[in-house]
Amino acid sequence: MTIRVLLADDQALLRSAFKVLVNSEPDMEVVGEASDGAEAVLLARSERADVVLMDIRMPGTDGLAATRLISADPALAEVRVVMLTTFEVDEYVVQSLRAGASGFLGKGAEPEELLGAIRIAAAGEALLSPVATKGLIATFLKQGGGLAQGGGSDGDGDQGRAHSERLAALTVREREVLVLVAGGHSNDEIARRLEVSPLTVKTHVNRAMAKLGARDRAQLVVVAYESGLVRPRVE
């Protein structure tokens, strides 16, 4: 199966470089290019994109707004967004996750990292490296303990309470897996820690996603912090 990739960046030169790289792979192809977020949303619909490489900072409709629109559209439920950032850890980490992004990639990433990110996102996994996870925790602490504050919405407190209520539906093992996911651990790492198979871990992750209403693994991290299940220690 060929992964259909959409490039959204206001820099034409950067899009061209990404396009050459992506099209050089036998299992993926670029199906569209957008110079702003509004165009990206339209192309995601019309070109049936699997993965959108979305620049956060674009004129007009930026990457955050576009990601929210994609996440809110039932017709685009299978579309995964990977945010492209100048710095992997920045002020937009929390907002991007809450908007529905599956992960992050620095624009200075190696070609193999970019291609790997596309495959990971297309497979429904989250691209949350240890660096990005540490950035998420740092932002959490900076905001005084609540990711919900990053969105600036009056209903965010209610959202946190709703997450907490949903946690009651998780089994003890699902909670344990969720904590490890929020710590940035992969399925293989979690499997080794819990002495189970990676397939078993994946099953627990999928069940937790269904119960918590999370689009993907990245959203589980948000839920874990907003609900208070994970409270990082200050170093």
Side-chain angles (χ1 to χ4, degrees), residues 5-19 29-47 49 51-63 66-67 69-70 79 81-82 84 107:
V5 181
L6 172 64
L7 306 175
D9 196 299
D10 61 323
Q11 299 181 45
L13 185 60
L14 192 57
R15 292 200 311 271
S16 296
F18 284 157
K19 183 175 182 179
E29 66 174 329
V30 172
V31 296
E33 297 180 53
S35 58
D36 61 43
E39 187 179 8
V41 175
L42 292 175
L43 287 175
R45 293 191 184 112
S46 64
E47 301 303 326
V51 177
V52 181
L53 292 181
M54 184 86 74
D55 184 22
I56 287 183
R57 302 176 182 88
M58 290 185 287
T61 302
D62 65 15
T67 300
L69 290 171
I70 290 174
V79 177
V81 177
V82 174
L84 297 174
K107 287 188 175 181

Side-chain angles (χ1 to χ4, degrees), residues 14-226:
L14 192 57
R15 292 200 311 271
S16 296
F18 284 157
K19 183 175 182 179
V20 170
L21 177 63
V22 171
N23 283 340
S24 70
E25 295 298 294
D27 62 335
M28 58 183 72
E29 66 174 329
V30 172
V31 296
E33 297 180 53
S35 58
D36 61 43
E39 187 179 8
V41 175
L42 292 175
L43 287 175
R45 293 191 184 112
S46 64
E47 301 303 326
R48 296 179 293 109
D50 297 310
V51 177
V52 181
L53 292 181
M54 184 86 74
D55 184 22
I56 287 183
R57 302 176 182 88
M58 290 185 287
T61 302
D62 65 15
L64 286 172
T67 300
R68 291 191 191 99
L69 290 171
I70 290 174
S71 299
D73 189 339
L76 300 177
E78 300 303 315
V79 177
R80 297 292 176 255
V81 177
V82 174
M83 284 293 193
L84 297 174
T85 64
T86 303
F87 301 102
E88 187 178 4
V89 178
D90 61 23
E91 64 196 75
Y92 296 109
V93 169
V94 175
Q95 293 95 318
S96 297
L97 279 177
R98 297 187 71 247
S102 293
F104 306 86
L105 194 69
K107 287 188 175 181
E110 294 295 325
E112 293 77 12
E113 291 181 274
L114 175 66
L115 297 174
I118 293 172
R119 294 187 177 100
I120 289 170
E125 298 292 341
L127 184 66
L128 284 174
S129 71
V131 175
T133 302
K134 288 177 181 177
L136 181 66
I137 293 172
T139 304
F140 178 91
L141 293 171
K142 182 179 178 181
Q143 292 175 347
L147 288 181
Q149 296 175 26
S153 171
D154 292 338
D156 283 340
D158 292 335
Q159 184 179 27
R161 285 190 291 274
H163 287 328
S164 297
E165 291 171 2
R166 290 196 190 101
L167 285 178
L170 298 183
T171 65
V172 173
R173 181 45 63 93
E174 286 165 356
R175 281 174 175 252
E176 191 174 11
V177 169
L178 177 55
V179 169
L180 292 172
V181 167
H185 299 287
S186 68
N187 282 359
D188 286 343
E189 291 170 339
I190 295 172
R192 287 193 293 271
R193 281 172 173 256
L194 301 182
E195 298 183 343
V196 297
S197 71
L199 180 59
T200 296
V201 173
K202 185 175 182 179
T203 298
H204 288 311
V205 170
N206 289 339
R207 287 177 179 169
M209 285 170 53
K211 292 178 180 180
L212 297 173
R215 272 174 59 96
D216 57 23
R217 193 184 186 95
Q219 297 305 299
L220 286 180
V221 176
V222 176
V223 173
Y225 285 114
E226 286 189 328

